[in-house]
Amino acid sequence: MNPAGVARVTTGCSEAPILRERGQREVFCGLTGIIWLHRKIQDAFFLIVGSRTCAHLMQSAAGVMIFAEPRFATAVIEERDLAGMADANEELDRVVTQLLARRPEIKLLFLVGSCPSEVIKLDLSRAADRLNEKFASTTRILNYSGSGIETTFTQGEDACLAALVPQMPEASAQAPASLLVVGSLADVVEDQFRRLFDDLGVGPVGFLPPRSSTELPEVGPNTRFLMAQPYLADTRRILESRGAKALQAPFPFGAEGTTAWLKAAADCFGVDESRFTAVTALGRERAKRALSHYQEQLAGKSIFFFPDSQLEIPLARFLSRELSMRIAEIGTPYLHRQNLAAELDLLPEGAVLSEGQDVDRQLDRARAARPDLTVCGLGLANPLEAEGLTTKWAIELVFTPIQGYEQAGDLAELFARPLNRAARLEV
Amino acid sequence: MQLTVWTYEGPPHVGAMRIATAMEGIHYVLHAPQGDTYADLLFTMIERRNKRPPVTYTTFEARDLGTDTAEIFKNAAREAYERFQPQAMLVGASCTAELIQDDPGGLAKALALPIPVVPLELPSYQRKENWGASETFYHLVRALAGPHAPAPGTERPQRDAGRRPRCNLLGPTALGFRHRDDVAEITRLLDRLGIDVAVTAPLGATPADIARLGEADFNVVLYPEIAQTAAGWLTRTFRQPATKTVPIGFGATIDFIKEVAEIAGVDPTAVLAGAPSRLPWYSRSVDSTYLTGKRVFIFGDATHVVAAARIADKELGFKVVGLGTYSREFARDVRAAAESYGVEALITDDYLEVEEKVAELHPELVLGTQMERHIAKRLRVPCAVISAPVHVQDFPARYSPQMGFEGANVIFDTFVHPLMMGLEEHLLGMFRGDFEFHDEVQPSHLGHGAAPAQDQTQIKETEIEKAEIASVAQAVTWAAEAEQELRKIPFFVRGKARRNTERFAEERGLATITVETLYDAKAHFGR
C-alpha cells in the first residue's frame, strides 16, 4: 500500500507513468459477467461451483431483474465436501446430472470456478473433461474461473471467451480473410456493425461470443479480429495462438472511436477511402448531431473514474475528446498496454492514470478533487452522493448499448443524466 | 454440494455486517477475497444507506496467496483502526478466508489495539446469515457488557419507585425487514405504557450503549432470530427477564402489551382501551366477508411466518393451507404453529422445494419473501411480502411497520391488496367471456391491463401445460365437456377444483371425469 506518488500523462503518450496502488479493492469478481453472458449465449448455462457467498452475490447483483428460471445456478460447497466425507467430484457429477435433467435444452454448460473452488484446488477442467464424456451427445461442458482472487468484474467474460476459443472450428490456411469481432455487444449494436461491415464489403464477419453456442465462428491464420471490448486480454492471446491477428484500434465509443475502429477493419480489407467515407458519413454525422445535445452540459466538467470494468480509459478518451470534459483521474482495475495502445495515444494531456486500488486513499483523492461527476460502483455511489458529489454508477455502462454511432448520444446521456438531475432537484 | 438457484440467506459474515452496519462507532475487518465487497451494495442500494458500511475487507488476490495473507490482514486491521478510530472492532473471515486459516482473531490480538476487539468464528460452510448476525451480536454483548456483570447469584436491585421502568429493544439490524419502523412503533407503544427504552440494539447503538445493556429492567426481544441468544445471556448474567411474544398482528400486540405490563408492573388498561387498531373493524366489515376461507400459503423467517399465520387465521379469516420457514434454528416453533392449523410445516432452504409445494397446494394467496414473489408470479398466484429476504421496494420511504397497532393496519392493507376485489371476483364468476376483464389477467385494481407482456405469456403457457401434464399423468381422464366446465371456475380456485375432482374420482375408481363428477366433487368437498 504505497503512498500516492501521482504521475501525469503529459502528451497523450502511452509511455506515461501510472499510479499503481494496492489495498482494499471495491470491485466485483468475475462471476458477475454471467449476468450478461447468460443472456447473450442463449443455449448456455452457467454453473458456479462455490460457496453461499457466490450464490448470494449473484442474486444480489442480478437483483430484481431475475426471472423465474435463470440460466445460472450455484453448486454450493458444503462442510462435507471440505471434510472429504463426500468426494467433491462425485458430488459435482451428481449436481450436473440433476441440472441437465431439469434443463435438457442446454447445449453448453460452463463450470465456473470461484474463490473457494480455486483455493481447495477442485480441478474443474478435469471435471469438465469427465462430464463431456458422459454428456457427449447432448451438452458440451467447459470451464473457466470467475473467482475474485483471479478476475475483476468484466474479466469474467474474458475468461469465458478464452474458454470458448479452443472450441471454435479451425479455418484452413487457404480460407479467405475473415473478420472476427470479439466481446459481448448488445444485439442491436451487433446488428448495426454487421450492416456497416456489409456496406463496406468487409467480411465474412463473425462475432464472439455468438448468440448460440452452435454458431461459433471459425478461426485460423487468415482471421483478423477487432476487439469490441477492452478487457479481453486472455481471449486476445489465445486467438493469436490460433493464428488470428489483432487489428489495432481504439474502441468503438463515440463518433471518433467508432470511425477509427471501423477504419482499422476497412484498411485491413483494402476498402478504399471514398467508399469508407461514403458508408460511414451518415452515421458519423448522426453521432455528432446526437452528441451536440450534451456538449453544453458536459463541456468543461471534471470527471473522476473509480476502477471497475476496464472501460474507463476508452470512455475517458471519448468524454474528453468529443465532449470536452476534464479528466481528474482515470482508475482502472488492470491496464493492458497492448490492448489500449491506440487509446492511450488519444488521451489528453494531464490525465492522471491509476491502476489497481486502495479505496480509502482513492476516496481521499476524489474528495480533494471534488469532481463534477464521479464514476464508481454502487457500493460507493450513494455514500458519495450524500457527501455532495454527483455520481454515475459504473455497472450501467456494461449493461447498456453504448458502442457505435447510433449509441453515441445515449452514451453521452448516461453521463449527462446525473448532472441534469442534480441541477433539477430542489429538495 | 447443493444445487442452488436462490438462497434465502447470505453467508454468516453478511449477518455480522448487518450488526456492524446497524451500529455506530464499530468497525468490522473482514478477511475476504477481492469481490466480496459486493455486500456493501446490500446496504447502500437495497437499504439506501448514505454511508459506506463500516467494513474493511482485505480483498486478497491469487498472487497474495503465495505470500503472507496474514500480514495483509494485520495491515488492514491496523489501518482501519487508524483511519476510522472505532470504539470497538469485529474481526473475522469470509468463506474463502476460512479455508486459508489465517486466524483473524489471533492476528488482531497481536496488534494490541487499545480498544475491545471481538473475534468472530462463523463457519461459512455450515451456517448462514441470521445465525451469523445472532452470533455476532451475542459475542459483542458478552465482550462489552460482560465486564459490568454483577457477581453470580447477586439479586437484581429493586427499581427505584420514582423512575419509570425501562427496557432494551433487542434485535433490529441493518437490512432487517421493516426494522426501522418497528422500532419506532414499539418505542411509542412502550412510552404510552409508561416504559422507557434504555438502549435499542444493535440498530443505532454504540459499543458504549452495549456496555450498559445490563442497566435496564428487562429486555424486549423483537427479532428472536437475531437477539434470542444475546437476551438469554443477559437473563442469566443480569437477571433481566426477556419478552417472548413478538408483537406482529393485532392479537399478538395485545398479548405483548399484557406480557410487558406484567414484567414492568404497569397498568395496560388505558393503552388497550378504545380501538387501538383499525384491523379488527376492517376485517369485520362486510366488505371483508369474501376473504373468508381464502387459502393462503406462508413462508419466510420463523418469526414473521408464525405471526402471519395467526393474523391470517384468526384476524382475517383465511385458511392456512401451508406454512414453512428457512430458519432451521426455529423449526420447532414453526412446526408447532403448523400443527395448530392442521398442516405440516415445510422446513427447507431449497427454493425449488417451496415452489413445488406452492404448485401442489394451489393457494389463492402466497405470503412470503422476495423469492415467493417469483414463485407466485410464475404460478400466477397473488402474493404479498412478509419477511426478508426482500428487495429495494420493501425498504419504503413511508412509515410501514409490521409491529404494533399501526403494523396491523399496514398488514391488513398489504395482505388484502393483491387479492381480486370482491365485486370483480363475483363478476368473473358470472360472465366469463369478457375481452378485457377475464380471469387470466391481473385484477383490474392492480392496473396491469388486459394484455400481458410477451414473455409472461410464454411462462404462463408452459406453466399451464405443466399443470395439465401433471394432472393427466394420473389414472383419471377428463371428458371434453367436463374440461370445458372446469374452465368456467375462476382461475384462482380452478387448480384446487381440478385436484379435488381428480381425488374424488380416484377414490371412487372413476376412469373418466364428467360434468356430473365435477359437481359431485364440488358437493362433496364444499368450497
Side-chain angles (χ1 to χ4, degrees), chain A residues 265-383:
Chain A
D267 287 350
C268 173
F269 281 75
V271 178
D272 68 50
E273 198 63 43
S274 60
R275 183 170 185 186
F276 183 78
T277 311
V279 169
T280 55
L282 196 60
R284 219 174 336 176
E285 205 276 317
R286 273 205 298 252
K288 285 187 177 151
R289 204 164 357 124
L291 288 175
S292 68
H293 298 307
Y294 305 101
Q295 274 293 346
E296 199 182 328
Q297 216 176 342
L298 293 175
K301 296 280 195 308
S302 62
I303 187 162
F304 191 114
F305 284 90
F306 277 76
D308 187 60
S309 61
Q310 302 183 46
L311 293 174
E312 297 84 3
I313 289 174
L315 290 174
R317 178 265 302 161
F318 159 72
L319 292 169
S320 68
R321 290 176 66 94
E322 300 191 42
L323 290 156
S324 314
M325 290 189 81
R326 291 186 296 117
I327 307 296
E329 176 171 331
I330 313 170
T332 182
Y334 290 102
L335 198 159
H336 293 280
R337 287 189 171 279
Q338 205 188 7
N339 275 350
L340 289 168
E343 291 286 351
L344 290 170
D345 286 342
L346 295 173
L347 274 184
E349 200 173 319
V352 176
L353 274 171
S354 66
E355 181 186 17
Q357 187 175 36
D358 181 333
V359 72
D360 287 314
R361 288 178 203 279
Q362 196 166 30
L363 282 166
D364 289 343
R365 292 201 297 278
R367 289 176 184 125
R370 291 210 70 78
D372 295 304
L373 190 62
T374 303
V375 182
C376 61
L378 291 172
L380 300 177
N382 273 335

Side-chain angles (χ1 to χ4, degrees), chain A residues 34-35 38-39 42 44-47 58-59 62-63 65-74 99 102-103 105-106, chain B residues 3-6 351-352 355 374 378 459:
Chain A
I34 293 169
I35 292 166
H38 90 282
R39 281 299 184 91
Q42 299 186 359
F45 194 99
F46 295 79
L47 179 66
M58 289 306 291
Q59 80 182 38
M65 84 175 195
I66 296 210
F67 6 85
E69 191 81 2
R71 289 188 297 269
F72 59 80
T74 309
L99 174 69
R102 193 177 152 83
R103 301 298 300 262
E105 74 281 12
I106 297 302
Chain B
L3 182 62
T4 306
V5 184
W6 289 100
Y351 154 82
L352 298 174
E355 186 182 59
H374 293 289
R378 210 166 119 95
I459 290 171

